[in-house]
Short mmCIF file of all heavy atoms in Angstrom, two decimals:
data_model
loop_
_atom_site.label_atom_id
_atom_site.label_comp_id
_atom_site.label_asym_id
_atom_site.label_seq_id
_atom_site.Cartn_x
_atom_site.Cartn_y
_atom_site.Cartn_z
N GLN B 28 -16.00 91.20 -9.93
CA GLN B 28 -17.09 91.44 -10.91
C GLN B 28 -18.34 91.79 -10.18
O GLN B 28 -18.78 91.07 -9.30
CB GLN B 28 -17.28 90.26 -11.80
CG GLN B 28 -18.29 90.52 -12.89
CD GLN B 28 -18.33 89.40 -13.95
OE1 GLN B 28 -17.64 88.39 -13.80
NE2 GLN B 28 -19.14 89.53 -14.96
N LEU B 74 -19.03 91.63 2.28
CA LEU B 74 -20.10 91.14 3.13
C LEU B 74 -19.80 89.76 3.67
O LEU B 74 -20.09 89.49 4.84
CB LEU B 74 -21.42 91.07 2.28
CG LEU B 74 -21.97 92.37 1.82
CD1 LEU B 74 -23.18 92.11 0.87
CD2 LEU B 74 -22.37 93.21 2.98
N LEU B 78 -10.87 83.24 3.67
CA LEU B 78 -9.47 83.29 3.30
C LEU B 78 -8.91 81.84 3.27
O LEU B 78 -9.09 81.05 4.23
CB LEU B 78 -8.68 84.06 4.39
CG LEU B 78 -7.26 84.38 4.04
CD1 LEU B 78 -7.14 85.31 2.84
CD2 LEU B 78 -6.58 85.03 5.29
N VAL B 79 -8.39 81.48 2.13
CA VAL B 79 -7.82 80.15 1.93
C VAL B 79 -6.30 80.21 2.03
O VAL B 79 -5.69 81.08 1.37
CB VAL B 79 -8.25 79.63 0.53
CG1 VAL B 79 -7.60 78.27 0.25
CG2 VAL B 79 -9.74 79.63 0.36
N ASP B 106 -30.95 96.41 5.54
CA ASP B 106 -29.53 96.27 5.15
C ASP B 106 -29.19 97.18 4.03
O ASP B 106 -29.91 97.36 3.03
CB ASP B 106 -29.22 94.84 4.77
CG ASP B 106 -29.28 93.88 5.96
OD1 ASP B 106 -29.05 94.30 7.09
OD2 ASP B 106 -29.53 92.69 5.74
N VAL B 125 5.38 83.80 -6.96
CA VAL B 125 5.80 82.45 -7.34
C VAL B 125 4.57 81.54 -7.21
O VAL B 125 3.93 81.52 -6.14
CB VAL B 125 6.97 81.96 -6.46
CG1 VAL B 125 7.25 80.48 -6.73
CG2 VAL B 125 8.17 82.81 -6.60
N ASP B 129 -5.27 77.41 -8.95
CA ASP B 129 -6.17 76.93 -9.93
C ASP B 129 -7.57 77.09 -9.37
O ASP B 129 -7.85 76.59 -8.29
CB ASP B 129 -5.96 75.48 -10.28
CG ASP B 129 -4.65 75.21 -11.03
OD1 ASP B 129 -4.30 76.03 -11.83
OD2 ASP B 129 -3.97 74.21 -10.66
N ASP B 131 -11.87 76.79 -10.23
CA ASP B 131 -12.81 76.19 -11.15
C ASP B 131 -14.14 76.02 -10.47
O ASP B 131 -14.26 76.02 -9.27
CB ASP B 131 -12.27 74.81 -11.60
CG ASP B 131 -12.99 74.26 -12.85
OD1 ASP B 131 -13.72 75.02 -13.50
OD2 ASP B 131 -12.73 73.06 -13.16
N TRP B 146 -42.07 80.81 10.43
CA TRP B 146 -41.77 79.66 11.25
C TRP B 146 -42.76 79.57 12.43
O TRP B 146 -43.14 78.47 12.80
CB TRP B 146 -40.30 79.73 11.77
CG TRP B 146 -39.33 79.41 10.73
CD1 TRP B 146 -38.39 80.31 10.18
CD2 TRP B 146 -39.09 78.16 10.08
NE1 TRP B 146 -37.65 79.67 9.24
CE2 TRP B 146 -38.03 78.35 9.14
CE3 TRP B 146 -39.67 76.94 10.18
CZ2 TRP B 146 -37.54 77.34 8.34
CZ3 TRP B 146 -39.19 75.91 9.35
CH2 TRP B 146 -38.12 76.11 8.45
N VAL B 165 -58.17 60.30 22.14
CA VAL B 165 -58.75 60.19 23.46
C VAL B 165 -60.25 59.85 23.37
O VAL B 165 -60.74 59.00 24.15
CB VAL B 165 -58.58 61.55 24.25
CG1 VAL B 165 -59.35 61.50 25.56
CG2 VAL B 165 -57.10 61.70 24.54
#
Side-chain angles (χ1 to χ4, degrees):
Q28 184 171 4
L74 296 174
L78 190 65
V79 178
D106 290 335
V125 173
D129 292 318
D131 196 11
W146 286 112
V165 170

